[in-house]
Amino acid sequence: MLNRRDFLKTAGLAAGTLALPGLTGCAMGSRPRGHVVVVGGGYGGATVAKYLRMWSDMGVDVTLVERNPQFISCPISNLVIGGDKTMADITMGYDGLRNTWGVKLLQDTVVGLDAGARKLTLASGGVLGYDRLVLSPGIEFMFDQTPGLETEDARRTVLHAWKAGEQTVALRKQLEDMKDGGVYALAIPKAPYRCPPGPYERACLVANYFKKAKPKSKVLVLDANEEITSKKALFTKAFEKYAGILEYRSNSELREVDAAGRTAILEFDKVKADVLNVVPPQRAGDIAARSGLKLINNRWVDIDWLSYESVNTPGVHVLGDAIFPAPTMPKSGHMANQHAKVAAAAILRLLAGEAPNPTPVVMNTCYSFVDSKNVIHVASVHQYDAAKKVVLPVPGAGGVSMAANELEGKFALAWAKNIWADMLV
Amino acid sequence: MKVLHWFAGICLLGTLGVAQAEARPDPDLARNLAATCANCHGTNGRAVQGAGNEELAGVPKDKLLQKLRDFRSGAKPATIMHQISKGYTEAQLELVAAYFAAQK
């Protein structure tokens, strides 16, 4: 066995020639030390930044690179679109991460990754080195699969509002400006996409708004999937409540968009709307999808479920919507927060020269509003299967609401407040 | 990759010894499991005041464990906890309950 001095010498030698994982922590003994850079300050990135600091007793340095000055939540943003909440309700600062947790914040965009040299290039021109890197970039839209939405102009007319922010505000404004008697059409891509129940919740909340404010108007849901992809029975019941306002069409994949005419072109049909809302197909965000990390289906990052480390790029961990999901695992903010905690624990052990926890658990809860007050949930718990090397849903656990109810409406808002604090405060 | 594997092995030797690393339970297991509850119940079980979800920090272990068991058996009705509690083993629920009890 090597003694400590020999070991340090060997490690030092190796470090001179190769970039190696866990070097800093390993050389220091079992206390994790090092610099972790996190790219993306959403549900995954903000959580991992906080937990790395908290669980290392502030011993590990963390830099968070985020392009936006503030966090805007996708969950609850459908309530802004429906007119029940405001942008202020879903917008929070990063001060807690900075002041309470000592996370170094850089408002910037990462434009290049050299995983061999463990360096990132920033849009501002800077270069940032790391011992371990966490990418939590969320999704990028595949506009090449929605002909007609190639130009910025077209995308200002036909909105996605599938990343909360200015598009959320703009879609709300289009709905407010629409005449009573108009048609709002929502196109849903084939699964997997971010937030499986999200489109159906949005359809309900727009219908709820029309019912109160523009009762002659219609909501038309054009779903590329063969059926409702999440909480089907519960959403079917909710849609019945909006009979006469909301119409749901399955197997209605969008082929092309005529943005100027606000027309969705399907295989056998053309649908003209007053407000056309297209959620395009999605893939992992650019920095994860275009840096040589192994992808599945050319869209999502293939990761090791014990560490969330890329299977082919040592030192690079990926969280949230950007990863290829485990069986039945949704792309949700809740799940990204759970990924972040498994990854934080694993990174700290790797930085200390130890193997990651071999029995990680993650769980999910997605609440959906079917009107201003009533909510339905879907929940699941996923345990690591050592033989299959993936987390799998626990049979018999999880499930959905019995029926939409107001109590869960309160829990949904409580969930939002607690998860936002869990990531940012 | 060979070099990386070799290095990872040395790394473990340098701190624990490989056999020990495999045998020794992860001291952070309870912390990691309890963190799965934080989305709704707050970091380390300290819920946002007035938000409407139960605070778990400082709840006596036996009380919390009994509650979780009752959710699991269906003895205690719930909107969602009967479904979530079934996803954890008894040993995991014990770790979670002990962790929250220790949060003052």
Side-chain angles (χ1 to χ4, degrees), chain A residues 26 50 341 377 383 398 418 422, chain B residues 11 35-36 43 48 83 87 92:
Chain A
C26 185
K50 169 174 161 178
K341 291 165 185 170
H377 81 255
Q383 300 250 5
N418 277 292
D422 191 38
Chain B
C11 214
T36 66
T43 306
V48 173
Q83 297 168 346
Q92 288 173 334

Side-chain angles (χ1 to χ4, degrees), chain A residues 180-181 207 240 277 312 325 352:
Chain A
D180 190 11
E240 283 165 10
N277 180 190
N312 75 335

Side-chain angles (χ1 to χ4, degrees), chain B residues 7-87:
Chain B
F7 185 78
I10 294 293
C11 214
L12 287 171
L13 279 170
T15 54
L16 285 174
V18 172
Q20 274 173 296
E22 280 166 7
R24 198 183 72 166
D26 184 341
D28 298 323
L29 207 51
R31 180 202 72 181
N32 296 348
L33 286 165
T36 66
C37 312
N39 304 40
C40 296
H41 295 281
T43 306
N44 292 322
R46 291 188 189 89
V48 173
Q49 291 302 307
N53 276 345
E54 214 165 310
E55 174 111 349
L56 302 179
V59 176
K61 182 188 168 185
D62 290 349
K63 192 179 163 194
L64 186 52
L65 191 55
Q66 193 54 50
K67 205 166 178 178
L68 288 165
R69 284 177 179 146
D70 289 348
F71 280 136
R72 209 149 49 135
S73 71
K76 188 172 170 56
T79 56
I80 196 167
M81 278 307 299
H82 58 306
Q83 297 168 346
I84 293 171
S85 55
K86 286 193 187 89

Side-chain angles (χ1 to χ4, degrees), chain A residues 218-291:
Chain A
K218 302 273 184 241
V219 172
L220 180 56
V221 183
L222 304 169
D223 195 343
N225 298 286
E226 57 191 32
E227 57 179 20
I228 294 170
T229 62
S230 176
K231 303 180 238 191
K232 185 187 167 192
L234 292 163
F235 275 119
T236 302
K237 212 162 235 163
F239 289 174
E240 283 165 10
K241 252 187 56 190
Y242 297 113
I245 295 178
L246 190 154
E247 183 190 337
Y248 174 78
R249 292 187 199 168
S250 59
N251 293 311
S252 297
E253 189 170 15
L254 190 75
R255 293 297 168 95
E256 200 179 333
V257 174
D258 167 11
R262 299 193 185 216
T263 299
I265 300 163
L266 315 177
E267 193 177 7
F268 302 113
D269 201 3
K270 283 186 180 183
V271 176
K272 184 164 168 48
D274 298 277
V275 174
L276 179 58
N277 180 190
V278 171
V279 181
Q282 299 147 28
R283 60 166 169 79
D286 278 349
I287 192 63
R290 293 183 174 163
S291 301

Side-chain angles (χ1 to χ4, degrees), chain A residues 48-321:
Chain A
V48 81
K50 169 174 161 178
Y51 273 74
L52 281 167
R53 293 287 292 166
M54 186 170 76
W55 282 349
S56 71
D57 293 327
M58 309 295 206
V60 167
D61 295 324
V62 177
T63 303
L64 174 62
V65 186
E66 163 58 46
R67 61 163 70 108
N68 297 310
Q70 288 181 300
F71 167 77
I72 304 176
S73 176
C74 264
I76 311 294
S77 72
N78 277 334
L79 286 170
V80 177
I81 289 163
D84 297 292
K85 294 268 179 199
T86 65
M87 287 303 284
D89 295 322
I90 60 167
T91 305
M92 277 137 287
Y94 289 108
D95 292 351
L97 289 182
R98 188 187 291 116
N99 301 336
T100 306
W101 297 106
V103 173
K104 188 177 177 200
L105 277 140
L106 289 181
Q107 195 186 335
D108 212 324
T109 302
V110 175
V111 291
L113 163 59
D114 181 345
R118 300 203 174 213
K119 281 191 168 67
L120 293 167
T121 314
L122 303 171
S124 63
V127 172
L128 199 55
Y130 62 83
D131 294 307
R132 287 198 170 261
L133 173 66
V134 182
L135 300 178
S136 191
I139 51 159
E140 198 50 66
F141 297 114
M142 300 162 78
F143 284 114
D144 56 329
Q145 303 211 353
T146 48
L149 286 184
E150 294 92 343
T151 66
E152 289 297 324
D153 245 13
R155 290 179 215 165
R156 267 193 295 271
T157 310
V158 176
L159 304 168
H160 54 76
W162 216 243
K163 293 182 182 181
E166 57 185 25
Q167 288 244 339
T168 312
V169 177
L171 180 57
R172 175 65 195 164
K173 183 157 192 326
Q174 286 189 353
L175 291 167
E176 283 176 355
D177 292 347
M178 193 187 88
K179 65 177 190 292
D180 190 11
V183 173
Y184 162 74
L186 169 62
I188 305 171
K190 279 200 169 132
Y193 56 85
R194 162 179 281 181
C195 190
Y200 311 107
E201 177 191 63
R202 180 174 294 182
C204 285
L205 290 174
V206 173
N208 184 52
Y209 165 62
F210 287 169
K211 201 171 172 177
K212 289 184 285 192
K214 303 182 182 191
K216 285 182 277 182
S217 309
K218 302 273 184 241
V219 172
L220 180 56
V221 183
L222 304 169
D223 195 343
N225 298 286
E226 57 191 32
E227 57 179 20
I228 294 170
T229 62
S230 176
K231 303 180 238 191
K232 185 187 167 192
L234 292 163
F235 275 119
T236 302
K237 212 162 235 163
F239 289 174
E240 283 165 10
K241 252 187 56 190
Y242 297 113
I245 295 178
L246 190 154
E247 183 190 337
Y248 174 78
R249 292 187 199 168
S250 59
N251 293 311
S252 297
E253 189 170 15
L254 190 75
R255 293 297 168 95
E256 200 179 333
V257 174
D258 167 11
R262 299 193 185 216
T263 299
I265 300 163
L266 315 177
E267 193 177 7
F268 302 113
D269 201 3
K270 283 186 180 183
V271 176
K272 184 164 168 48
D274 298 277
V275 174
L276 179 58
N277 180 190
V278 171
V279 181
Q282 299 147 28
R283 60 166 169 79
D286 278 349
I287 192 63
R290 293 183 174 163
S291 301
L293 276 61
K294 181 173 177 271
L295 303 180
I296 294 179
N297 297 333
N298 207 25
R299 288 171 75 180
W300 313 108
V301 182
D302 192 4
I303 54 134
D304 175 333
W305 290 99
L306 292 180
S307 62
Y308 291 74
E309 194 167 8
S310 155
V311 295
N312 75 335
T313 311
V316 180
H317 304 253
V318 187
L319 311 176
D321 294 347

